[in-house]
Amino acid sequence: QVQLVQSGGGLVRPGESLRLSCSAADRSFSTWTMAWFRQAPGQEREFIAGINTWGKLSAYFADGIWGRFVIFRDDTVRTVYLDMTDLKPDDAAVYYCAADVQGGTQPRHAGDYDYWGQGTQVTVSS
């Protein structure tokens, strides 16, 4: 059973930055497409950013996210990161990492992903 373990998150003020991490123990990690989603209360889970596997390594983002958020991965430690800058109150949500173990090319829908992290709360408030 694949387990994705998230860390990071918390309470920040508008304009501040935060890093989220998501790690897996599985040796196949480097073959997975990884992504970050978020879900605010009463809303659907929303794609934020994804990153493909080595060889077709590329990041892709939801509209309006590129430039403030950066996704990157370190396959040597089987971890994917989401660096968030200039956070706004609208960014407040529970953030989830997700794994597509088939290594799909730029999947953006929650249904395309096989495994999920436990979620971590990000609160942006002054």
Side-chain angles (χ1 to χ4, degrees):
Q1 181 72 17
V2 171
Q3 283 193 317
L4 302 178
V5 179
Q6 296 181 220
S7 60
L11 171 63
V12 295
R13 291 187 172 87
E16 293 186 338
S17 301
L18 206 57
R19 170 174 287 183
L20 306 182
S21 302
C22 171
S23 299
D26 200 298
R27 293 182 178 182
S28 299
F29 178 85
S30 63
T31 68
W32 304 345
T33 296
M34 299 298 296
W36 288 94
F37 287 73
R38 68 186 179 188
Q39 188 166 20
Q43 298 188 19
E44 294 186 355
R45 196 164 294 190
E46 172 191 23
F47 169 80
I48 303 170
I51 188 164
N52 288 128
T53 61
W54 179 257
K56 48 180 177 177
L57 193 65
S58 64
Y60 52 103
F61 300 89
D63 291 343
I65 293 296
W66 188 87
R68 291 199 300 124
F69 291 7
V70 175
I71 184 172
F72 60 101
R73 64 192 298 162
D74 184 348
D75 290 339
T76 64
V77 293
R78 299 169 191 157
T79 301
V80 62
Y81 304 91
L82 183 68
D83 275 352
M84 304 183 289
T85 61
D86 190 24
L87 283 162
K88 306 177 187 304
D90 285 349
D91 294 318
V94 177
Y95 283 68
Y96 298 90
C97 65
D100 168 9
V101 299
Q102 303 303 314
T105 302
Q106 300 194 356
R108 295 171 179 264
H109 302 288
D112 295 327
Y113 290 85
D114 306 294
Y115 297 100
W116 294 84
Q118 79 275 21
T120 185
Q121 178 70 49
V122 172
T123 303
V124 184
S125 175
S126 55

